[in-house]
Amino acid sequence: MARECWIYYCVVGLLFASFTTTKGSPAGTKIPKKYAVNLDVAPEKRWQQVAIEHKELIKDVHSVITSVIPEDLLPYVELIATDLDYYIAKPYAGEMRGFAAALNISVGDVVMANLIYDVSAFCTSIISQDANGQIWHSRNLDYSFTDILKNITIAVDFQSKGVTEYSIITYAGYVGALTGQRPNVFTVTVDERDQGSIIWNLVIGILDKQVSPVSFLVRDALAYDRNFSAAVDRLSYTATAADAYFIMGGAKEGEGAIITKGRLAPDDVWKLDPASGRWFLVETNYDHWTTPPPSDNRREPAIKAISALGQKNISVMNLFDVMSTPKVLNPHTTYTVVMSAAKPSLMQTWIRI
Ligand SMILES: *[C@@H]1O[C@H](CO)[C@@H](O)[C@H](O)[C@H]1NC(C)=O
Ligand SMILES: *[C@@H]1O[C@H](CO)[C@@H](O)[C@H](O)[C@H]1NC(C)=O
Ligand SMILES: *[C@@H]1O[C@H](CO)[C@@H](O)[C@H](O)[C@H]1NC(C)=O
Ligand SMILES: *[C@@H]1O[C@H](CO)[C@@H](O)[C@H](O)[C@H]1NC(C)=O
C-alpha cells in the first residue's frame, strides 16, 4: 500500500513537473529546470544536486568532448588538474573538484569540459533599448553536440542568505558563465570570436598563469561588479586566453555595449547610441565592422527582424520571435534567452527541442 502510494505520488509528481516545466512554452521549446546554488556553502558542495540529477548525461558529454580533444593536449590538462588551486582561481577550482567527486570521474575530465566551452560555439546576441528607455538583451547559443547539450541545459540562481545574487544559464557540469544576469545591474552574454587553436591557447595560457578562461571571468563580473561600467572595464581589460565578444546590457537607459576583446585589451567597444538612432546592437561571431561570410550570415536576418519589430514593440515574446528568425535560429541552437537587467524577473529561457 505504502509502496503504491509512493509510486502514485511519483507519477503525479512527474506529470505535474512536466506540466509546470512546459507551461506557456511555445511549440518546439521547453523551459529548463532551475537550481539554486548556495554561495554560502563550500565550493566543493555547491553543485551536488545538479551533479546527482545529471550524472549519466554529464559523463556522456565528457566522453564526447574527450573524443575531440587532441591527444597531445591531455598531459597539459592533467598538469592543471593535479595543481588545480594554483592554476585556477577560487571558487572555480573547488566547484570543479566537487563535480568530479560527485560524478566519480577524474578532475582532469571536468577541467577539460570546462575549458573547451568554445569549441564551435556560434551565437547571436542582441542588445536593444525600447521606447521607454529600458534595455533588453536576447541571445541564442548555438553549439556542436547540440542534442546532448539540450538535455543538460539548466538555469542557476546563485544565492547568498536566500537572496539571488546573480543568475546564469549553463550546461550541467560547467561552472563558468556564458549567459548571465546580475539583477538591476547588468546582463551579459559571450559569443565566440576567432576559432582554430583556441584550446591550445587556453591551456598554455592557464599554465603560464597569466590569463583567465573567458567564462570564469564573466562569472567574476557577475559576482563582484555592482555597476555597468565596472563590469565593462573588468571584461575589457582582464587578460583572457581566448578572444571573445562580450555583449552587455545595463539597467539604465543607454547602457549597452559590445566589447570585441583581444587577449589583453579590447580591439573595439561599440556602444548603444539611441539619441543618434543606434537603439540596437547585433553581434554574431564576426567583428561588427567586417562583413560576415555569405556561408554564415546570421547578422543580416537578425538586423532585419529587430528593425522590423521596432523600438515601441519590444517585449519578451517579440524578442523570442526575433531570435526565432530562420538562420538566427538554426539546427545548432541549444537555447534562447531574453532578459532585462532593470526587470530581472522577466529573464526567460527556452531550450530548443
Ligand atoms: C568510481 O569509479 C571507479 C572506477 O573508475 C569504480 O571502481 C568505483 O566503484 C566507483 N565508485 C562509485 C561510488 O561509483
Ligand atoms: C535527450 O533527451 C531526449 C528526451 O528527453 C532523448 O530522446 C535523447 O536521446 C537525449 N539525447 C541524448 C544525446 O542524450
Ligand atoms: C562602479 O563601481 C566601481 C567599483 O566598485 C566604482 O569605483 C565606481 O565609482 C562605480 N561607478 C558608478 C558610476 O557608480
Ligand atoms: C510590432 O511588430 C510586428 C511584427 O512582430 C509588426 O507587424 C507590427 O507592425 C509592429 N508594431 C509596431 C507598432 O511597430
Side-chain angles (χ1 to χ4, degrees), residues 308-310 312-313 318 321:
L309 181 67
K312 290 185 184 152
N313 223 353
N318 283 350
D321 289 343

Side-chain angles (χ1 to χ4, degrees), residues 170-283:
T170 191
Y171 302 120
Y174 290 74
V175 304
L178 299 177
T179 302
Q181 168 174 274
R182 173 132 202 133
N184 303 303
V185 183
F186 70 96
T187 55
V188 59
T189 57
V190 182
D191 286 9
E192 186 193 345
R193 192 187 183 205
D194 102 345
Q195 293 139 47
S197 55
I198 280 182
I199 306 179
W200 274 104
N201 294 338
L202 192 57
V203 171
I204 300 310
I206 290 165
L207 284 170
D208 285 346
K209 210 181 190 288
Q210 303 296 312
V211 292
S212 172
V214 164
S215 63
F216 294 179
L217 175 63
V218 171
R219 210 180 124 189
D220 280 349
L222 289 162
Y224 304 124
D225 292 330
R226 300 293 191 267
N227 63 55
F228 180 75
S229 63
V232 170
D233 285 351
R234 180 191 298 272
L235 295 181
S236 296
Y237 291 103
T238 308
T240 43
D243 291 7
Y245 301 105
F246 296 118
I247 300 89
M248 307 189 59
K252 300 193 187 110
E253 202 168 334
E255 288 183 339
I258 291 174
I259 302 164
T260 300
K261 176 74 166 54
R263 291 191 195 139
L264 300 179
D267 288 333
D268 179 74
V269 179
W270 191 33
K271 295 188 169 165
L272 276 183
D273 186 5
S276 47
R278 195 159 69 221
W279 61 272
F280 68 83
L281 303 171
V282 172
E283 179 56 63

